[in-house]
Amino acid sequence: MASHQIPIHQLTSLLGEWRGPSSDYTSLAERVRLMVIDGRIKAGARLPSERVMAEHLGISRTTVNSALAELRASGYVRSRQGSGSVLDIPGRTGDLPIPQAGDMLDLSRATSAAVPGVHAAAERALRWLPARLTTDGYELSGLPALRETLADRYTASGVPTTPENIVVTSGSAGAISLIARTLLAPGDRVIVETPGYPHSNDAFRSAGARLLPTIVDGDLGWDADEFAGTVERALPTLAYVMPDFHNPTSRSMSDAVRTTIVDVASRHGTVIVSDETTAELDIDRSEATLPLAVYDTHGNTVISVGSASKTMWGGLRVGWVRASSTIIDRLVAARFSFDLGAAVMDQLITSELFDGFDEVIGYRQEIHRASRDALANALARHLPTAHLHPVEGGVAAWVRFDAPVSSALTVAARRRGLLIGAGPWFGLSGEFERNIRVPITATPDAIERAVAILADAMIETARPGREAGRSVL
Ligand SMILES: Cc1ncc(COP(=O)(O)O)c(C=O)c1O
């Protein structure tokens, strides 16, 4: 099958400030490798020709050729006569193999081990299993008891809900991809946040959507006027937002922002997907908030997405959608081609865990608070010029350096045994080179070690005379 060629302008924008302390060809190879590893460029894509790359990157063809030779040697490029240089992920050898979890300190994912009660909840859930075994087990909408619990929780939070407004999915990832497949047609426009959650962007892209950015500033949050302008100009089909403890900035929308975006969306027929996967993980937010769906007085503008993953355990793979019953019916009908419902046992366990949900949240809150404080302390000691945007909850902290070093820093950190997501991974086209995401789901000890590694890696990225690196130290 012919591979898709990355347009040169896209490649140069994704590469950003790729030059580093090593020779140009090594730096270029390392940057391309990082982008393949963290998914910013897909394996299977074809690089532009050597001549075009040399011309646009301002380097000689020999340098491009050497970078490709390095990528080929480490298994990240396959070159075939006539088909150019195709990116790949090596399965075997290479000087920078994909590290296996366990070998490395992995802060690339904002995830954590289960809360303590999951095992006991699984035992209790077994009581309900015999009754389920008499059914065929295909629960396309989700188990009635779980949908009822979820509906009651929404109603108590100010969003009147019945089980007909709920469909249970395989995690919120399953919910988002179901929404994308069902509500989008190729060419539709979708507003997404930058920085934002890359896997959701991928789900919308897979459905053929064109993504339009709306900025979430690490200190100031959303610009409601900018959002409104984009809705009015582009009439997007969907807008995807994380109003509470946005991943990765941890910002929450103010009441005024919520009011404005729901109002403009409802006037222009844009449906807002409110990803509330991390919404319950409050540490010490100063402002009380109401769910985005509360602002949707007609009930057909906001679709809420939730998950048991970040509160209870990711291994449950239980998420859900709350929407008008019309939308829920469309989602359930669209499911048949790829997913016939979430696992019954997982739903039973999740239902049990909702019984003691305050304790679940209390447990997470304590750990996330300790990790956030450990991060602030470690940054002050090891990387004092880094700016930690306020973290009031959620799963991640967004850190800003005063130079565009993020990709180079994560490559250097990888060599020292730390996996961490470079800032540009959370953007749409190579931006956020000054940022890095640190998950506060990691333990305080892991965070302390990670920051020490980053500080050490920072020395390597600071080439003498290189303005970018020097100003960070
Ligand atoms: C904002 C956000 N949405 C969705 C997901 C997917 O979560 P899951 O499918 O485990 O529910 C995550 C997980 O990291 C997330 O952070």
Side-chain angles (χ1 to χ4, degrees):
M1 200 174 74
S3 43
H4 157 77
Q5 174 160 327
I6 311 163
I8 186 65
H9 65 270
Q10 193 185 344
L11 181 68
T12 46
S13 126
L14 284 168
L15 283 170
E17 271 291 321
W18 56 269
R19 285 188 172 82
S22 329
S23 59
D24 278 356
Y25 75 86
T26 305
S27 299
L28 179 59
E30 280 193 338
R31 182 61 60 92
V32 171
R33 218 156 23 203
L34 175 73
M35 292 195 303
V36 174
I37 290 167
D38 71 15
R40 274 180 274 160
I41 306 184
K42 298 274 174 283
R46 189 158 34 91
L47 289 169
S49 71
E50 286 182 21
R51 182 186 55 76
V52 169
M53 286 211 284
E55 217 170 274
H56 285 78
L57 298 175
I59 49 180
S60 68
R61 280 185 73 166
T62 317
T63 306
V64 176
N65 190 278
S66 306
L68 290 175
E70 205 164 293
L71 287 165
R72 216 173 290 122
S74 54
Y76 283 84
V77 157
R78 285 179 274 130
S79 296
R80 264 200 221 113
Q81 197 105 46
S83 64
S85 303
V86 176
L87 293 165
D88 200 359
I89 293 185
R92 311 140 277 119
T93 52
D95 59 352
L96 192 63
I98 298 176
Q100 299 300 307
D103 302 346
M104 307 277 286
L105 179 55
D106 189 354
L107 268 68
S108 64
R109 301 203 286 183
T111 50
S112 34
V115 284
V118 174
H119 193 281
E123 283 175 348
R124 290 198 306 279
L126 284 172
R127 284 178 298 154
W128 309 112
L129 188 59
R132 305 312 313 172
L133 294 177
T134 61
T135 74
D136 67 10
Y138 290 89
E139 296 291 349
L140 276 154
S141 306
L143 280 186
L146 178 57
R147 287 163 61 219
E148 207 158 299
T149 301
L150 291 166
D152 290 349
R153 293 182 59 79
Y154 277 110
T155 302
S157 72
V159 190
T161 303
T162 68
E164 285 65 45
N165 301 121
I166 304 278
V167 58
V168 179
T169 54
S170 296
S172 49
I176 292 159
S177 102
L178 179 60
I179 290 167
R181 282 164 173 252
T182 313
L183 302 188
L184 291 174
D188 279 0
R189 288 171 286 265
V190 175
I191 293 183
V192 297
E193 297 162 321
T194 52
Y197 183 59
H199 298 309
S200 295
N201 295 345
D202 282 344
F204 299 129
R205 280 195 197 100
S206 298
R210 283 170 44 205
L211 306 189
L212 309 171
T214 194
I215 290 162
V216 184
D217 181 86
D219 287 325
L220 305 171
W222 292 258
D223 180 341
D225 292 337
E226 183 221 36
F227 182 98
T230 309
V231 170
E232 283 157 3
R233 253 192 334 276
L235 301 177
T237 308
L238 295 182
Y240 167 78
V241 295
M242 292 169 266
D244 296 277
F245 309 123
H246 169 265
N247 184 4
T249 67
S250 179
R251 299 273 55 75
S252 292
M253 283 182 188
S254 65
D255 176 61
V257 170
R258 289 173 203 244
T259 306
T260 305
I261 70 163
V262 176
D263 175 59
V264 73
S266 94
R267 280 189 288 108
H268 292 83
T270 298
V271 168
I272 303 183
V273 179
S274 174
D275 183 347
E276 293 160 13
T277 300
T278 64
E280 276 151 318
L281 298 168
D282 189 351
I283 301 175
D284 47 18
R285 182 163 52 188
S286 43
E287 213 181 310
T289 66
L290 292 170
L292 201 64
V294 167
Y295 298 76
D296 179 14
T297 43
H298 301 298
N300 44 22
T301 297
V302 175
I303 299 182
S304 314
V305 168
S307 173
S309 291
K310 304 293 157 140
T311 53
M312 300 168 182
W313 188 37
L316 290 168
R317 305 310 309 136
V318 169
W320 54 86
V321 180
R322 186 246 167 239
S324 68
S325 54
T326 319
I327 288 181
I328 294 294
D329 289 348
R330 283 183 65 189
L331 296 177
V332 172
R335 242 185 143 156
F336 284 89
S337 65
F338 68 106
D339 160 25
L340 297 178
V344 167
M345 196 58 209
D346 296 349
Q347 296 185 66
L348 291 173
I349 300 170
T350 304
S351 288
E352 287 296 326
L353 283 164
F354 269 124
D355 261 353
F357 196 61
D358 287 349
E359 282 135 57
V360 168
I361 293 298
Y363 174 84
R364 292 287 182 220
Q365 189 175 44
E366 212 170 291
I367 293 183
H368 291 185
R369 178 184 282 120
S371 296
R372 175 198 63 183
D373 296 348
L375 175 62
N377 285 331
L379 286 173
R381 271 183 294 117
H382 297 296
L383 286 168
T385 58
H387 171 67
L388 175 61
H389 292 290
V391 185
E392 296 181 328
V395 289
W398 193 231
V399 174
R400 194 183 69 232
F401 305 115
D402 54 7
V405 293
S406 188
S407 293
L409 187 66
T410 50
V411 168
R414 198 173 271 269
R415 278 198 288 270
R416 290 164 173 77
L418 170 67
L419 289 175
I420 193 158
W425 191 46
F426 302 91
L428 287 182
S429 50
E431 65 271 38
F432 306 116
E433 265 300 351
R434 288 171 189 269
N435 293 89
I436 201 160
R437 183 187 76 165
V438 183
I440 56 166
T441 46
T443 62
D445 172 59
I447 286 184
E448 167 72 37
R449 282 189 290 137
V451 174
I453 291 174
L454 286 175
D456 186 45
M458 189 68 91
I459 294 166
E460 183 186 315
T461 62
R463 180 169 65 180
R466 185 167 174 252
E467 182 272 326
R470 200 172 45 205
S471 57
V472 175
L473 289 173

